[in-house]
Amino acid sequence: MTNEMPVIRVAVPLPIREGLDYLWAGPGPTPLPGCRVLVPVARKSHTGIVLEHPATSPVGLDKLKRATTALDEEPLIGADLRETLVWCASYYHHPVGEVLSAALPALLRRGRAAVPAPEIRWQLTAAGRETDTTALARRARRQAALLEQLATIDTAAESDLREAGYTRAQLATLEDKGWLARAATAPRTRRETVEHEPGPVPALTDDQRDVLEAIAAAAPGYNAFLLHGVTGSGKTEVYMRLIAEQIQADQQSLLLVPEISLTPQLVGRLAQRFGARLAVMHSALTDTERLDAWQRCRNGDAGLIVGTRSAVFAPLHRPGLVIVDEEHDNSYKQAEGFRYSARDLAVYRAQRLGIPVVLGSATPSLESVHNAEQGRYHLLRMPHRIGSAGAPTVRIIDLNHHAVRNGISTPLLSAIEQHLASSNQVMLFLNRRGFAPVLFCPDCGVAEDCQRCDSRMTIHSASGRLRCHHCGAERALKWACASCGAERIAVGAGTQRVSEELRALYPNVVIGRLDRDATSRRGSLESVLADLESGKTQILVGTQMLAKGHDFPNVTLVGVLNADQGLFGTDFRSNERLVQTIIQVAGRAGRADRPGEVLIQSHFPSHPLFDCLLAQDYVRFAQIGLAERRAADWPPFSHLVLWRANAVQRAAAFEYLHRLARAARALGTEIGVHGPAPASMERRSGRYRAQVLLQCARRGPLHAVVDELLVQARGWPEARKVRWAIDVDPTEL
Ligand code: ADP
Ligand code: ZN
């Protein structure tokens, strides 16, 4: 009885590594892979996505539960994207259902009906045309007939083929065999009726023209380009020309950017150029807006999809091009849950789709530089800034020889005054928000700590609060010491303190602040940036939010208040991060025709990192950095998997990881097993955190060991007392 019902394997958004099997017992045809179905798990109903139709189930057919409700007639997630997501689940060792649901807008995850995708048209591939249909007809008569029928025409609409009696499953089978492909459909006209005036398009610079020619000259299909263009060299214009060509050819482009909310300018420029063909996907949208952007991507209405990290899973209808702007940016790495790298996945997707990918940055990641050196990426350079200003001059202020008040040295103060006197604007960069990082009692010699983390409470004087920047804990700011009653002092300076100091010094100057505290209200970020753009703000003090692609031609001085914070980091990437941030912030100085000046305050002016910064030679920095990585056997010269665990009891985290490390060592000698070791901030939000680092020269054996460890660890009693997570290609150790 039951074995007449087909088996469907379903990805359910629960922490279960594989798909779950069900018997399809609903009305209508078996839901196709990529369709949502409601399935029972432990007496609760969940919205899952069909992965495949296995011939049978290892669980045993008589034990399978039944599924009866399908939410879609057509796959929501097409074959290409589905396979990519399944690959992601195995590469990142993450539960497949959580991975698939990460690719859907929230409303669809919750069961909302999707607008049908546009009509699909089918055509033969070269392989399909060469297939011997006579031989095929002996095994699969209908398939052979379909191939013959299509051989006489260019493309056929799916509805016509269905009317002629071919099923979706037959079409899907032929697609899987590589004999059939979806043809590009005609563009949808709804939005095109809106006339759009793209505004002036500038004549290309020589650098831009060379880059565009090199990209055009490459063979069609997958190619990866690393566009290393200094800040202000006009990378965005290059992207826009490439996107316009794709739109001309009726193909879609996917442009990934680090944080859209930080770059309203960029979205403005794209909207100006592409009008209603633009769709934007990011986390600040409402659920309805997200669903709309997703549908416009899927139905081909959008010619350009701009989005942050998760847009790498956009359901492209006619994919033509992928671009990753600021490809070095750490926000492409998802830090929680499904820990993927959108930059790496963008390259993977382009490769699968057989389309070009462009990775752009003024400070490309060492991994990408290495890929270019190895010939895997084509390196393209734009070494010149647009306009007559040229590169800014960079100098270091030796803090050992100059007085500092609340974070600002005397030479920097006089430079600020000079630049303001010539009606220019100033940016000051300090990677620390709040008033001061430490509240210290000079009598007891004690600083106020967070009770749940290994960290200090940061003083936020404006709100009269102390805040932990790691767990969010808050309490009232009391200057009197609780133990001795002495008046405590604020040590160090954050962005708040620096702005207050400047306001006291220059009461007539307008001073703005750009950090997460100053921009937490909706619309406040836009107004901070607008005040700078209009010239109202004369000095802007900010965190690394300053580093993101803003273009303000009247900013001529950039001060880096504390470069030393990152100089002696413990992570093998800390130098790279520091240099990238400083170069990006410095890149805000001097645009168009006003030359810029960059002043970096440091107690260690002879630190070798500053040589490259002063010479503004990122390429040399990258070469030195790669040589160091090679010598120490760090990525990209080895591959890493970080296995993290945390628990309320310190011993529980370590017992679990000790067992894991032993098991890993027992599995072979090719894998380096380091640890367990405490995480860089061991206690956070009341939990102790530790980790084991697995390292290998080759990916294959590393992933095999992780898979084997996952199987073994399932039965360990030690695993019950911890939360654990696997971080493949970790960016922070
Ligand atoms: P990047 O992204 O490389 O930092 P942008 O694309 O922001 O640089 O370009 C810097 C500035 O130069 C922008 O104001 C942009 O409008 C302008 N620009 C870009 N290309 C050209 C061009 N070919 N001619 C004139 N101005 C240009
Ligand atoms: Zn805390």
Side-chain angles (χ1 to χ4, degrees):
M1 193 38 204
T2 44
N3 53 6
E4 281 164 22
M5 285 184 245
V7 180
I8 53 174
R9 187 158 294 160
V10 181
V12 186
L14 291 172
I16 305 170
R17 309 217 75 81
E18 316 280 332
L20 300 177
D21 290 348
Y22 292 88
L23 293 175
W24 173 247
T30 318
L32 288 170
C35 291
R36 290 169 301 164
V37 286
L38 296 183
V39 292
V41 181
R43 302 221 181 100
K44 277 183 74 181
S45 173
H46 293 267
T47 307
I49 296 164
V50 179
L51 288 172
E52 55 184 317
H53 296 166
T56 182
S57 171
V59 179
L61 294 182
D62 49 336
K63 295 206 184 67
L64 292 185
K65 290 188 202 159
R66 295 172 184 203
T68 54
T69 311
L71 299 183
D72 307 299
E73 277 181 27
E74 301 206 6
L76 267 193
I77 303 184
D80 141 69
L81 183 54
R82 205 168 58 239
E83 281 159 21
T84 298
L85 292 164
V86 169
W87 178 87
C88 282
S90 85
Y91 181 81
Y92 290 107
H93 303 276
H94 198 79
V96 69
E98 293 184 358
V99 172
L100 262 80
S101 83
L104 285 186
L107 288 176
L108 296 181
R109 284 203 293 269
R110 295 204 289 267
R112 166 79 64 92
V115 172
E119 172 90 306
I120 295 166
R121 297 186 72 85
W122 292 96
Q123 66 187 18
L124 285 189
T125 61
R129 225 168 272 124
E130 281 159 21
T131 303
D132 179 355
T133 49
T134 330
L136 179 65
R138 287 195 282 275
R139 288 179 284 121
R141 190 179 48 82
R142 294 294 290 163
Q143 292 184 11
L146 179 55
L147 291 186
E148 278 167 9
Q149 193 166 345
L150 278 173
T152 60
I153 45 178
D154 271 356
T155 67
E158 180 161 311
S159 57
D160 293 342
L161 294 174
R162 302 269 315 268
E163 217 153 276
Y166 298 103
T167 64
R168 282 219 179 91
Q170 283 167 339
L171 293 169
T173 309
L174 289 174
E175 188 184 24
D176 283 348
K177 288 183 174 170
W179 293 342
L180 271 196
R182 284 151 205 262
T185 47
R188 313 248 297 175
T189 48
R190 179 166 62 92
R191 310 236 171 193
E192 277 180 338
T193 51
V194 185
E195 255 330 302
H196 175 67
E197 179 51 61
V201 175
L204 295 173
T205 64
D206 291 348
D207 280 353
Q208 288 171 332
R209 208 188 43 241
D210 290 348
V211 161
L212 286 168
E213 279 173 6
I215 294 176
Y222 167 77
N223 268 298
F225 301 94
L226 178 60
L227 174 55
H228 179 197
V230 298
T231 51
S233 60
K235 294 185 286 297
T236 313
E237 184 62 36
V238 170
Y239 304 153
M240 290 196 291
R241 296 294 179 105
L242 293 170
I243 293 162
E245 278 170 25
Q246 294 293 330
I247 289 181
Q248 277 292 314
D250 194 31
Q251 307 263 52
Q252 293 173 300
S253 303
L254 173 65
L255 169 60
L256 296 183
V257 297
E259 278 159 274
I260 285 186
S261 58
L262 287 180
T263 49
Q265 269 188 343
L266 174 68
V267 175
R269 277 166 79 184
L270 295 169
Q272 164 85 12
R273 187 74 61 90
F274 300 109
R277 314 256 14 211
L278 171 68
V280 183
M281 288 183 171
H282 60 90
S283 56
L285 300 177
T286 65
D287 284 350
T288 317
E289 287 169 330
R290 276 178 152 248
L291 178 59
D292 181 59
W294 189 88
Q295 313 244 48
R296 290 184 52 220
C297 179
R298 175 163 172 262
N299 67 22
D301 187 31
L304 164 61
I305 298 91
V306 185
T308 46
R309 190 170 56 221
S310 65
V312 75
F313 302 119
L316 297 166
H317 184 58
R318 294 181 305 276
L321 170 70
V322 179
I323 302 170
V324 184
D325 189 25
E326 311 289 4
E327 66 90 33
H328 64 279
D329 197 286
N330 202 31
S331 75
Y332 286 124
K333 172 80 192 209
Q334 165 86 39
E336 293 293 321
F338 170 29
R339 297 170 151 88
Y340 62 93
S341 157
R343 193 261 324 271
D344 295 350
L345 287 180
V347 176
Y348 176 83
R349 260 199 105 177
Q351 200 162 9
R352 277 194 67 104
L353 292 167
I355 60 176
V357 56
V358 178
L359 307 176
S361 177
T363 53
S365 64
L366 296 193
E367 280 82 357
S368 294
V369 172
H370 180 65
N371 278 329
E373 282 177 355
Q374 297 290 304
R376 283 191 286 269
Y377 297 171
H378 305 263
L379 180 61
L380 306 169
R381 287 238 169 89
M382 300 209 294
H384 308 104
R385 279 188 154 195
I386 289 179
S388 53
T393 55
V394 183
R395 280 191 296 129
I396 298 202
I397 298 175
D398 184 348
L399 290 184
N400 301 301
H401 297 138
H402 295 285
V404 178
R405 254 199 79 186
N406 292 337
I408 307 177
S409 63
T410 10
L412 182 55
L413 273 184
S414 43
I416 292 173
E417 285 163 21
Q418 273 171 27
H419 283 258
L420 291 183
S422 9
S423 315
N424 291 329
Q425 291 168 302
V426 175
M427 272 187 183
L428 298 178
F429 167 67
L430 175 59
N431 216 350
R432 185 187 279 149
R433 65 199 169 87
F435 182 80
V438 183
L439 177 58
F440 184 74
C441 173
D443 287 5
C444 306
V446 172
E448 185 148 345
D449 289 327
C450 174
Q451 278 154 10
R452 311 174 67 221
C453 306
D454 292 335
S455 76
R456 304 271 161 75
M457 298 297 279
T458 299
I459 305 172
H460 287 254
S461 62
S463 53
R465 309 288 290 170
L466 289 175
R467 253 180 238 148
C468 172
H469 286 182
H470 303 281
C471 71
E474 270 196 39
R475 59 184 91 120
L477 165 62
K478 296 200 180 77
W479 288 102
C481 173
S483 344
C484 72
E487 173 84 358
R488 292 188 288 180
I489 48 173
V491 182
T495 44
Q496 264 181 32
R497 189 174 203 168
V498 170
S499 352
E500 280 176 30
E501 162 82 349
L502 289 168
R503 269 186 209 116
L505 276 174
Y506 310 118
N508 299 321
V509 171
V510 180
I511 291 150
R513 183 152 62 82
L514 183 65
D515 58 28
R516 270 207 277 143
D517 300 316
T519 56
S520 54
R521 271 180 300 109
R522 212 182 156 99
S524 49
L525 173 80
E526 288 75 5
S527 74
V528 171
L529 293 177
D531 285 349
L532 188 69
E533 190 155 27
S534 71
K536 180 178 162 212
T537 299
Q538 292 162 283
I539 304 178
L540 186 65
V541 181
T543 57
Q544 74 274 27
M545 287 172 90
L546 290 178
K548 317 272 167 167
H550 315 291
D551 184 21
F552 299 108
N554 296 332
V555 172
T556 51
L557 173 65
V558 167
V560 178
L561 298 190
N562 189 355
D564 298 345
Q565 259 178 47
L567 274 185
F568 304 101
T570 49
D571 195 302
F572 71 92
R573 281 196 174 83
S574 35
N575 282 352
E576 179 183 353
R577 292 262 157 72
L578 178 70
V579 169
Q580 286 167 340
T581 310
I582 293 184
I583 292 184
Q584 293 285 347
V585 176
R588 308 305 126 209
R591 294 244 171 168
D593 54 352
R594 300 195 195 198
E597 186 177 6
V598 179
L599 295 175
I600 303 174
Q601 302 190 145
S602 172
H603 283 101
F604 309 95
S606 51
H607 194 289
L609 268 193
F610 289 128
D611 294 347
C612 297
L613 282 174
L614 289 175
Q616 297 175 58
D617 192 346
Y618 187 77
V619 175
R620 189 154 67 90
F621 162 73
Q623 278 158 357
I624 296 170
L626 278 171
E628 286 169 3
R629 297 257 192 110
R630 187 192 290 277
D633 209 17
W634 284 122
F637 303 98
S638 69
H639 304 289
L640 302 179
V641 169
L642 193 62
W643 201 305
R644 307 168 186 270
N646 66 66
V648 179
Q649 305 290 331
R650 186 175 191 273
F654 274 87
E655 276 160 24
Y656 169 80
L657 289 172
H658 271 300
R659 178 145 192 199
L660 183 89
R662 274 199 309 277
R665 290 193 179 101
L667 283 172
T669 49
E670 192 176 348
I671 312 287
V673 181
H674 311 285
S680 69
M681 179 181 291
E682 184 172 17
R683 193 155 162 274
R684 186 167 175 172
S685 294
R687 300 182 70 91
Y688 288 88
R689 311 179 313 144
Q691 57 201 35
V692 165
L693 185 65
L694 305 174
Q695 184 174 31
C696 187
R698 299 187 298 144
R699 282 192 196 282
L702 183 61
H703 284 272
V705 162
V706 173
D707 280 330
E708 174 57 27
L709 289 172
L710 276 168
V711 172
Q712 292 189 14
R714 251 177 228 169
W716 294 348
E718 290 91 338
R720 279 188 230 122
K721 296 185 198 140
V722 301
R723 291 184 198 148
W724 56 270
I726 294 172
D727 193 346
V728 177
D729 306 329
T731 55
E732 259 157 292
L733 294 187

